[in-house]
Amino acid sequence: MNTDDFETILNEDTTTRSGAFRLWVAVLLDAVLTLKGERVGSRELAKSFIFDAGNVFLDLICGEMNIEPSLFRKHLEQELLASQRIAIWRSQSRQQNAQVSSIP
């Protein structure tokens, strides 16, 4: 999920072009990118915005995009976990490479 995905959705349907709707999409995109580590921001605020089951704004955005909010959250959570696993693997690889290169 990236900025282009949201732009495509917003430009396909005239009902998603209102200023208020676009603002909430921008807030959602910012939260997603913050959680993915692509933007600087409060990860806790981003997480609470997206994963709060009572967030009517996320429900509204997902509804307009014909996406089930629970599926959106589940997919994002899986993507975040995969990103964390990759980061851990990279960190471990760097440590192993540093240890090997320090052997005379």
Side-chain angles (χ1 to χ4, degrees), residues 18-60:
S18 77
F21 183 79
R22 292 178 75 87
L23 174 63
W24 283 113
V25 169
V27 170
L28 175 60
L29 178 59
D30 184 66
V32 168
L33 294 176
T34 298
L35 285 176
K36 290 176 69 176
E38 297 177 23
R39 286 216 176 131
V40 176
S42 170
R43 292 178 58 85
E44 288 305 313
L45 284 175
K47 189 175 182 179
S48 69
F49 177 76
I50 292 173
F51 293 102
D52 176 8
N55 182 349
V56 296
F57 299 106
L58 181 76
D59 293 346
L60 170 73

Side-chain angles (χ1 to χ4, degrees), residues 72-91:
F72 173 82
R73 289 179 177 108
K74 181 179 178 182
H75 176 75
L76 179 60
E77 192 169 33
Q78 290 171 344
E79 190 174 329
L80 293 171
L81 287 172
S83 295
Q84 289 172 350
R85 287 187 194 116
I86 291 169
I88 290 168
W89 176 81
R90 285 182 179 156
S91 175

Side-chain angles (χ1 to χ4, degrees), residues 2-15:
N2 58 43
T3 306
D4 292 339
D5 295 336
F6 283 101
E7 282 299 319
T8 299
I9 291 166
L10 290 173
N11 292 326
E12 283 179 351
D13 186 354
T14 56
T15 63

